[in-house]
Amino acid sequence: MPPSQGKYARYLIFAVVGLALFFLSRRPLLLPDSTGPSLSPKPPSTPSPPSDKPASLGDSSEQSLNEQSSSEVLRYAATHPGGRANATFVTLARNSDIWEIAQAIRQVEDRFNRKFHYDWVFLNDQPFDDNFKRITTSLVSGTTHFGQIPPEHWSYPEWIDQDRAREVREEMREKKIIYGHSESYRHMCRYESGFFFRHPLLQDYEFYWRVEPGVELFCDIPYDPFVFMKENDKKYSFVISMYEYEGTIPTLWDGVKQFMGDHPEHIAEGNSMRFLSDDKGKTYNKCHFWSNFEIGSLDWLRSKEYLDYFESLDRQGGFYYERWGDAPIHSIAAGILLKKEQLHFWDEIAYYHIPFTHCPRDEQLRMDLRCSCDPSGNFDWKGFSCLSRYYKTNDIPLPPGVDEYS
């Protein structure tokens, strides 16, 4: 063969081999293990409805629970069977909050609800639009419900002098008190304090988990907090506690003392007054649980004790003549109407709501729960936190490295 023909033949052979390798590389690699997952595409499926059959508190199919954990919740979940709680998430939001609530839903679903499929109730003082409904429904693994707040629950009660309320808002604007100028914020605080649990969409549920737009969760939640609450007779729970701004609640404790005097039958023995007051109830130390995260009992909020408490305070007018928030309202109620054992602090649930973070101190707990939070940003033991008072009230030893109660 002449040299030029041999050169062209070699080029032809290289081209054929190259094309063969290219097409072979585009084919899927089939594994010989027939027990492994199929590599062929699967048609899309809708989530199965949650089972009512008894199950463990945690989902051991994906993540085992450490029976030797520093966490009471994880130790309990690892050793106790549990069923399914009658519970829902609840969010107060507006249509304009859609992308912030979408972020929050993904956090909750990815860290917890994708395995448990609890429902989600959305409430708004205006009708939800189709965009909000479509996006949230696509993200929630349980059933979504959308409700409108009755006008009488999002407006001034008849005993409020609206001119006086307007003057207070202007005064607070000048003093630069946070949300002090806002009328809608006051409607929201009153609604969260005394009405959300009365909405028809929540009547058939026993427990709720409040989720606000834009929040983040940093640790897996491979156990069911609702079932833990139910089986351990917990009525109210939190992740962050702090001092309230004094300028927003100057007469709140006076109203609480009046209620306690009028209804001594409602005050629980063995309550958490020590968390709320440093002088056995004479004054309020301003400590409260940050209510943008709370898991609680709807039956308790619907009880005569709580309703009498709320209605007594509502008549004082402090939601509008001052700027009472739902956080101190809920916290004081939990502190005086419940036994201290019926409250719970979730050290395991790493959480962020601007500007504060809760992140577990215990490194092994963070590893077990695949946490992504920076423990140096943990708010728990900062000067403005009230968690040390909660520990002291419940005779819980302070964690290593924390020297004294605030």
Side-chain angles (χ1 to χ4, degrees):
M1 178 183 296
S4 61
Q5 290 181 343
K7 179 174 67 174
Y8 292 133
R10 287 195 299 274
Y11 290 160
L12 183 61
I13 292 170
F14 290 152
V16 171
V17 171
L19 286 171
L21 290 173
F22 173 78
F23 285 111
L24 285 172
S25 69
R26 303 291 291 178
R27 296 179 59 190
L29 179 63
L30 298 179
L31 301 179
D33 182 4
S34 62
T35 63
S38 170
L39 292 171
S40 57
K42 292 192 293 186
S45 60
T46 55
S48 300
S51 171
D52 289 330
K53 294 191 297 184
S56 65
L57 279 175
D59 185 347
S60 59
S61 64
E62 292 190 22
Q63 191 171 351
S64 60
L65 298 174
N66 183 0
E67 295 184 24
Q68 308 302 318
S69 173
S70 62
S71 161
E72 170 199 3
V73 174
L74 293 191
R75 294 195 305 272
Y76 186 89
T79 57
H80 285 71
R84 179 177 174 80
N86 179 17
T88 184
F89 295 96
V90 62
T91 292
L92 187 63
R94 289 182 167 158
N95 293 311
S96 58
D97 295 324
I98 181 56
W99 298 117
E100 287 186 285
I101 193 57
Q103 171 190 319
I105 293 170
R106 279 306 304 259
Q107 295 277 326
V108 173
E109 289 288 335
D110 292 351
R111 289 296 194 175
F112 169 70
N113 202 44
R114 65 187 175 86
K115 295 180 291 186
F116 294 91
H117 311 301
Y118 280 104
D119 294 349
W120 207 305
V121 173
F122 297 94
L123 301 174
N124 189 350
D125 65 315
Q126 301 293 324
F128 283 109
D129 60 31
D130 290 341
N131 186 58
F132 189 100
K133 293 179 180 179
R134 184 178 65 257
I135 292 171
T136 53
T137 298
S138 73
L139 294 171
V140 174
S141 61
T143 301
T144 52
H145 303 278
F146 303 92
Q148 188 169 350
I149 297 169
E152 62 271 21
H153 292 171
W154 195 274
S155 58
Y156 292 99
E158 60 183 6
W159 57 85
I160 293 298
D161 181 340
Q162 295 188 37
D163 290 334
R164 177 183 171 189
R166 187 179 304 107
E167 292 172 2
V168 168
R169 294 198 302 274
E170 289 306 314
E171 290 173 4
M172 288 193 172
R173 183 197 298 273
E174 293 176 4
K175 294 178 181 178
K176 294 182 170 30
I177 293 175
I178 186 169
Y179 302 121
H181 66 285
S182 175
E183 181 180 55
S184 63
Y185 188 83
R186 287 169 165 80
H187 289 324
M188 182 275 291
C189 289
R190 181 172 179 259
Y191 182 76
E192 292 281 23
S193 297
F195 296 101
F196 85 91
F197 49 85
R198 309 189 209 201
H199 196 282
L201 289 178
L202 290 166
Q203 291 311 298
D204 292 334
Y205 294 104
E206 184 179 357
F207 289 95
Y208 72 100
W209 180 335
R210 177 171 166 179
V211 178
E212 293 203 353
V215 302
E216 297 182 54
L217 298 177
F218 298 112
C219 297
D220 285 353
I221 306 175
Y223 52 89
D224 191 332
F226 293 125
V227 173
F228 180 85
M229 295 277 290
K230 181 177 178 65
E231 294 193 352
N232 290 277
D233 192 32
K234 304 292 186 180
K235 305 298 184 186
Y236 188 85
S237 61
F238 68 100
V239 292
I240 292 175
S241 63
M242 64 181 67
Y243 293 94
E244 181 60 294
Y245 297 104
E246 186 169 5
T248 65
I249 54 165
T251 68
L252 174 58
W253 194 249
D254 292 335
V256 171
K257 289 196 291 184
Q258 179 177 325
F259 164 77
M260 291 191 292
D262 292 342
H263 293 281
E265 72 279 9
H266 290 341
I267 309 306
E269 292 188 14
N271 62 28
S272 298
M273 180 61 79
R274 190 178 182 188
F275 173 75
L276 302 171
S277 175
D278 300 330
D279 51 18
K280 299 182 179 180
K282 293 179 182 177
T283 60
Y284 178 34
N285 62 21
K286 313 302 186 296
C287 280
H288 69 280
F289 309 120
W290 214 21
S291 60
N292 49 66
F293 174 104
E294 55 186 12
I295 303 175
S297 166
L298 289 164
D299 289 342
W300 170 59
L301 292 176
R302 292 187 288 249
S303 69
K304 178 174 173 52
E305 291 84 356
Y306 185 86
L307 292 177
D308 284 349
Y309 163 82
F310 169 74
E311 288 165 12
S312 175
L313 293 180
D314 196 25
R315 285 280 174 178
Q316 303 289 325
F319 289 109
Y320 297 102
Y321 299 148
E322 297 177 11
R323 205 232 62 191
W324 294 358
D326 53 281
I329 299 297
H330 284 186
S331 303
I332 293 171
I336 65 175
L337 303 180
L338 298 174
K339 296 178 180 179
K340 63 182 181 179
E341 295 82 10
Q342 293 178 302
L343 278 62
H344 185 73
F345 164 57
W346 297 104
D347 188 31
E348 308 78 13
I349 300 179
Y351 173 80
Y352 171 78
H353 182 294
I354 189 171
F356 299 119
T357 298
H358 164 67
C359 184
R361 287 174 58 91
D362 184 84
E363 183 178 12
Q364 186 58 54
L365 181 60
R366 295 197 306 272
M367 298 300 102
D368 290 345
L369 297 178
R370 304 191 301 182
C371 301
S372 60
C373 55
D374 178 358
S376 68
N378 184 26
F379 177 73
D380 293 353
W381 311 108
K382 310 276 188 187
F384 200 58
S385 171
C386 287
L387 186 61
S388 63
R389 292 182 182 273
Y390 178 82
Y391 270 49
K392 188 173 184 179
T393 299
N394 291 275
D395 300 316
I396 303 172
L398 292 176
V402 177
D403 297 328
E404 60 184 23
Y405 293 104
S406 62

